[in-house]
Amino acid sequence: MKSERKYVVPCGKCRTKVYCIQCIKQWYPKMSELDVAEICPFCRRNCNCSVCLHTSGFIETSKINMTDCEKVEHLSYLMVSLLPFLRQICEEQTQEIEFEASIQRVHSSKVGVSETLCGNDERVYCNHCATSIIDLHRSCPKCSYELCLTCCKEIREGRLSGRAEMKFQYVNRGYGYMHGGDPLPESCLHQTPDDHVEPSVMWSADDNGTISCPPTEMGGCGDCVLELTRILPDRWISDLEKEARDLVLILDNKLTNLRQNRAETGTDMLCKAASREGSDDNLLYCPDSTKIQEDEELFRFQKHWIKGEPVIVRNVLDKVTGLSWEPMVMWRALCENVDSEVSSMMSEVKAIDCLASCEVEISTRQFFKGYTQGRTYDNFWPEMLKLKDWPPSDKFEDLMPRHCDEFISALPFQEYSDPRAGILNLAVKLPSGVLKPDLGPKTYIAYGVAEELGRGDSVTKLHCDMSDAVNILTHTEEVLLTEEQHSAVERLKKEHRAQDLKENLVRDGMDESIEEPNSDNNKEDTDVSEINDSELLPSGIRGEFKMSRDEMQGTAFTCPHSEGTMVESGGALWDIFRRQDVPKLEAYLRKHFKEFRHVYCSPVEQVIHPIHDQCFYLSSEHKKKLKEEFGVEPWTFEQKLGEAVFIPAGCPHQVRNLKSCTKVAVDFVSPENVDECLRLTKEFRLLPKNHRAREDKLEVYLVFIKRKCYVHEISSFVFILLTHIFF
């Protein structure tokens, strides 16, 4: 080691930078000394020194050069797509104004609505359902109790429901219990779930539609009539809707003709991700990143995206400078931060222990050591840890500016995904000077192993995001289990199975159908074309990739690769469900919820919402039973290093890490999926006040816009929709 410090490698290009042998090995493991001597990391613009890691502006993040004609086309498409939802908001407000006209006994055009002022840093929420309020609402002049129009409608129709809080807590039965043993003595008494009790709602409207402030036990004063108030200028939304409607009459035909005249040449790059009989969407669009700058590729993306299909884009990291996403480089960027307070805060992290589904504190260095080398419990069962949203997404750009620029530069289809300037990303269209929703980027760093453990796997459980998202796998590290660990896993799996049988968590015949993970049959490779409908694959990609038998058990399909190249094993296994299958998926989970474990490996005993509760991961066996009983099969595929996965809003999905993985994701809002955002908003509104989904959802802060915006200033148009969608 000492001798290595004596030698340095000068750059043959700039002739000013030199790198010692030790630094090359530690910070640039994929570069040889000859590579550095030819062109050093600084000249390649992927230098990992502390100064460069905290400097932004090295690279141009946006890859889009657009003509004015193309901008007009995109904005026209945006407006035509969104007008129906603006019309829906306008109709809701018109109905409330008519109720107010009846109360005041005047014509609707004569209704006077008082104005409530709020600044850019303020937001208004409904006191009953906690939904964000964009404009018209009812307010108590005495206690300022705020009520949204949806709650007003429910009160008048006599169907207002309470918003109780969840009180159920999982019992920690001890370390031994989580590994298949007996529970601790003090936890033997079974704790039944405290169902969230719906409060008695004695709240109704008068015959003419008048609504009084609720009683004190419901948060109001009970003394005054709620008055109709507004946040935006008088009739602002209705005027905007009229202007948009008139303009769309002109734009719609031109936009339709333009898209019909656009020649669609070439063959879509598709990969098989399901084997549903009688279905025409088993193939997913899977282009290479080097080809998506063409207009035709964006059009193909939209063709699949509008149908609610995920999209996989390969080799996105090949387009960028090659900045390292190695764990220790990221650790260096954070812990050698120029701000000493930030550096000290990043020396420890709160990770999620996947076995207990609880937070544990660990030093950052120890966490990343386990990322590359693995960690085990005392009984040699693999310890799976993960970091979600680290560093915090609202700080990601400040703490890791170089990595943030690199990620945005790598994003495919930036018209949608660019969080700064995506012309079809509605979240970018909010007026300047207002607080924006936290859309990321967000980093997810987790351990992982290829074998499905069945308990304590490194997973993101089944959930549904209310916005669109794109997720890039930026780094992987394969951690292999030792023979001692394999033996421990086999022994403990038997104890887990015995515990499941004892607690009636296994259905008849379910455990017998699971193959032993190390059986000889599992080692046999089989051509995908032999077990699936290869004729559905486009010519040129049939039989080009193989999968092991235990991968086939989970129906994991892979994307096509160039002929003659080695197929790298995936880093993460994705299951994404179709929107139209959600009712059946929910029915399956409600039927079988007692067969799953959640916090502290306790059996799931209470289901508020089978998807939004985020307490289920469907194993290979559960996916098999789901297809047998309900005919539902997700799109299943392995995400490889450098691949970007686009997930449409409203598609339930789950992920299992097959290796230690670093993923970076960003949320966006596409015009094609606004209807799903609205549907999910209604679902979240009905959840208990302290439900996890309410904590995780996006927020768009409300603003008071003091100037009239015309329709061609699309930001105001989108602002109305976004504030209506997000809490």
Side-chain angles (χ1 to χ4, degrees):
M1 185 67 66
K2 290 183 179 179
S3 61
E4 288 181 352
R5 290 182 179 272
K6 297 179 181 178
Y7 298 98
V8 294
V9 178
C11 174
K13 181 180 180 180
C14 66
R15 301 184 182 277
T16 58
K17 301 292 183 181
V18 293
Y19 292 80
C20 70
I21 305 298
Q22 182 184 359
C23 282
I24 293 174
K25 290 183 176 180
Q26 181 175 2
W27 301 114
Y28 309 97
K30 295 183 179 180
M31 293 184 66
S32 67
E33 296 173 26
L34 291 177
D35 293 333
V36 174
E38 183 180 358
I39 305 177
C40 73
F42 184 84
C43 294
R44 295 174 187 264
R45 297 189 175 185
N46 58 12
C47 181
N48 294 332
C49 75
S50 181
V51 174
C52 289
L53 289 176
H54 295 105
T55 304
S56 61
F58 269 136
I59 58 175
E60 182 181 357
T61 57
S62 178
K63 304 293 185 180
I64 303 174
N65 294 315
M66 213 175 292
T67 65
D68 289 343
C69 182
E70 290 171 331
K71 290 180 181 178
V72 170
E73 179 187 347
H74 286 313
L75 292 176
S76 300
Y77 176 72
L78 192 66
M79 189 174 299
V80 171
S81 302
L82 300 181
L83 179 60
F85 307 108
L86 182 61
R87 184 181 294 120
Q88 178 182 335
I89 298 171
C90 188
E91 289 173 355
E92 292 173 356
Q93 296 204 346
T94 299
Q95 186 179 20
E96 192 64 29
I97 289 176
E98 289 174 353
F99 270 112
E100 185 64 20
S102 176
I103 294 171
Q104 296 183 14
R105 297 184 178 181
V106 298
H107 190 271
S108 58
S109 61
K110 302 296 183 181
V111 170
V113 182
S114 59
E115 181 179 344
T116 298
L117 297 178
C118 62
N120 286 357
D121 57 346
E122 294 179 295
R123 43 188 165 167
V124 180
Y125 288 123
C126 175
N127 285 85
H128 182 69
C129 71
T131 302
S132 60
I133 295 173
I134 59 170
D135 187 18
L136 289 188
H137 62 287
R138 292 197 172 268
S139 179
C140 177
K142 180 178 179 180
C143 69
S144 298
Y145 187 97
E146 314 282 0
L147 193 68
C148 70
L149 298 188
T150 303
C151 283
C152 290
K153 182 178 180 181
E154 290 181 352
I155 290 173
R156 295 190 182 103
E157 295 176 353
R159 56 183 181 90
L160 184 71
S161 59
R163 301 289 185 268
E165 294 187 357
M166 297 173 62
K167 298 181 180 179
F168 173 71
Q169 297 290 331
Y170 284 95
V171 177
N172 185 354
R173 295 174 171 86
Y175 174 87
Y177 177 82
M178 290 190 291
H179 290 277
D182 295 327
L184 293 173
E186 57 266 30
S187 64
C188 286
L189 293 176
H190 181 67
Q191 177 178 327
T192 57
D194 296 328
D195 291 333
H196 58 292
V197 180
E198 297 286 343
S200 178
V201 180
M202 302 296 294
W203 196 7
S204 59
D206 294 341
D207 293 339
N208 65 350
T210 300
I211 301 175
S212 298
C213 190
T216 54
E217 56 266 30
M218 294 184 64
C221 64
D223 292 339
C224 299
V225 171
L226 297 182
E227 298 178 351
L228 186 63
T229 58
R230 59 181 171 82
I231 298 175
L232 299 173
D234 192 25
R235 306 188 188 282
W236 192 89
I237 292 181
S238 59
D239 291 346
L240 186 63
E241 189 271 341
K242 183 179 182 302
E243 292 179 28
R245 181 166 20 96
D246 293 341
L247 189 55
V248 162
L249 291 175
I250 302 172
L251 295 174
D252 199 7
N253 289 333
K254 292 185 177 181
L255 185 62
T256 301
N257 293 334
L258 179 62
R259 289 181 166 260
Q260 287 178 346
N261 293 333
R262 175 178 288 162
E264 185 178 353
T265 59
T267 303
D268 285 357
M269 289 297 298
L270 302 173
C271 61
K272 190 168 185 180
S275 296
R276 295 179 285 250
E277 294 183 3
S279 175
D280 60 356
D281 63 354
N282 289 324
L283 305 178
L284 293 181
Y285 180 44
C286 185
D288 190 282
S289 63
T290 59
K291 301 178 181 178
I292 64 174
Q293 297 303 321
E294 304 169 7
D295 291 341
E296 291 79 5
E297 291 301 323
L298 177 62
F299 184 62
R300 292 191 189 104
F301 171 84
Q302 292 175 325
K303 183 183 70 173
H304 293 277
W305 189 248
I306 200 170
K307 293 188 290 186
E309 297 175 3
V311 172
I312 307 165
V313 183
R314 295 174 287 130
N315 302 321
V316 299
L317 297 182
D318 292 350
K319 304 189 309 177
V320 292
T321 64
L323 178 71
S324 175
W325 292 89
E326 292 278 343
M328 293 310 295
V329 173
M330 298 184 67
W331 179 84
R332 182 183 197 182
L334 292 166
C335 294
E336 294 184 10
N337 194 288
V338 290
D339 188 330
S340 58
E341 183 178 349
V342 171
S343 298
S344 61
M345 289 174 56
M346 294 300 169
S347 61
E348 288 194 351
V349 293
K350 291 183 178 180
I352 302 295
D353 183 319
C354 295
L355 182 65
S357 296
C358 294
E359 282 189 347
V360 295
E361 289 191 0
I362 183 174
S363 74
T364 308
R365 181 179 288 274
Q366 286 299 316
F367 174 85
F368 283 129
K369 181 180 179 181
Y371 177 96
T372 56
Q373 300 178 13
R375 290 174 62 90
T376 65
Y377 297 101
D378 294 339
N379 57 9
F380 295 103
W381 184 264
E383 182 180 0
M384 298 288 108
L385 300 180
K386 63 178 182 178
L387 296 179
K388 178 185 178 182
D389 193 6
W390 182 86
S393 56
D394 60 341
K395 303 291 185 183
F396 185 87
E397 185 171 2
D398 296 332
L399 297 178
M400 303 182 69
R402 182 66 182 81
H403 282 86
C404 185
D405 287 349
E406 182 89 353
F407 170 75
I408 294 176
S409 177
L411 285 171
F413 299 115
Q414 290 189 341
E415 293 88 347
Y416 285 88
S417 59
D418 190 335
R420 297 170 178 170
I423 192 168
L424 293 176
N425 183 358
L426 275 67
V428 177
K429 305 301 180 182
L430 288 170
S432 60
V434 306
L435 295 173
K436 302 294 178 68
D438 179 15
L439 300 176
K442 307 170 187 179
T443 307
Y444 302 86
I445 307 175
Y447 300 1
V449 294
E451 180 178 338
E452 187 175 76
L453 301 173
R455 187 178 296 194
D457 285 290
S458 177
V459 300
T460 298
K461 294 189 176 183
L462 187 70
H463 68 289
C464 190
D465 296 323
M466 76 178 309
S467 66
D468 306 301
V470 55
N471 181 301
I472 298 179
L473 183 56
T474 58
H475 184 270
T476 62
E477 188 79 35
E478 187 168 17
V479 178
L480 300 176
L481 302 183
T482 64
E483 289 298 324
E484 190 173 27
Q485 286 178 284
H486 277 296
S487 299
V489 167
E490 291 304 306
R491 174 179 56 81
L492 289 168
K493 275 189 174 183
K494 293 178 181 178
E495 295 183 16
H496 295 168
R497 189 170 301 169
Q499 186 184 55
D500 290 343
L501 289 169
K502 182 179 179 180
E503 297 182 354
N504 298 317
L505 265 70
V506 179
R507 289 169 288 156
D508 293 339
M510 182 170 176
D511 56 325
E512 288 83 5
S513 63
I514 302 176
E515 295 183 14
E516 291 298 322
N518 288 332
S519 65
D520 293 337
N521 289 338
N522 284 357
K523 298 178 182 179
E524 179 184 351
D525 285 341
T526 304
D527 202 328
V528 173
S529 60
E530 294 177 328
I531 62 169
N532 297 301
D533 302 325
S534 62
E535 65 272 12
L536 295 179
L537 296 173
S539 61
I541 64 172
R542 297 175 187 170
E544 289 183 6
F545 47 93
K546 295 186 177 183
M547 63 196 314
S548 62
R549 191 170 293 276
D550 57 346
E551 287 176 327
M552 288 186 286
Q553 187 181 19
T555 325
F557 298 97
T558 56
C559 293
H561 287 258
S562 302
E563 186 174 356
T565 61
M566 181 179 296
V567 179
E568 178 195 357
S569 60
L573 179 68
W574 286 73
D575 297 301
I576 304 179
F577 290 86
R578 296 185 296 181
R579 293 167 183 158
Q580 54 266 45
D581 289 336
V582 168
K584 292 181 179 179
L585 175 61
E586 292 182 0
Y588 177 87
L589 294 173
R590 290 189 185 279
K591 177 182 177 182
H592 298 291
F593 74 91
K594 291 186 177 180
E595 299 163 15
F596 293 83
R597 295 183 181 272
H598 193 32
V599 181
Y600 305 124
C601 288
S602 299
V604 175
E605 298 184 47
Q606 183 187 52
V607 177
I608 303 299
H609 191 288
I611 294 175
H612 300 325
D613 288 356
Q614 300 184 34
C615 60
F616 300 109
Y617 178 83
L618 280 77
S619 64
S620 300
E621 183 61 24
H622 270 292
K623 286 187 287 184
K624 178 182 176 183
K625 295 295 183 182
L626 173 64
K627 186 170 184 178
E628 290 176 354
E629 295 181 18
F630 289 87
V632 171
E633 179 188 350
W635 290 291
T636 300
F637 57 89
E638 290 184 5
Q639 181 186 21
K640 296 180 175 58
L641 181 64
E643 289 185 346
V645 178
F646 282 80
I647 311 105
C651 287
H653 55 283
Q654 61 178 28
V655 187
R656 182 168 72 86
N657 296 306
L658 308 175
K659 301 176 181 178
S660 291
C661 291
T662 299
K663 307 187 196 81
V664 187
V666 69
D667 298 322
F668 62 97
V669 184
S670 65
E672 294 89 347
N673 292 330
V674 170
D675 55 342
E676 281 300 309
C677 296
L678 290 169
R679 181 185 66 80
L680 288 167
T681 298
K682 295 175 182 177
E683 285 189 2
F684 288 144
R685 179 178 171 273
L686 299 176
L687 296 174
K689 291 181 179 179
N690 62 335
H691 194 279
R692 173 177 179 172
R694 283 184 173 270
E695 298 172 358
D696 289 348
K697 65 187 173 300
L698 297 173
E699 284 189 345
V700 172
Y701 299 92
L702 304 180
V703 306
F704 173 69
I705 302 178
K706 297 182 179 180
R707 63 182 178 86
K708 178 70 168 65
C709 294
Y710 295 97
V711 175
H712 65 268
E713 295 180 66
I714 201 76
S715 60
S716 61
F717 182 69
V718 174
F719 160 73
I720 291 297
L721 290 166
L722 285 183
T723 51
H724 189 68
I725 291 169
F726 298 126
F727 287 45

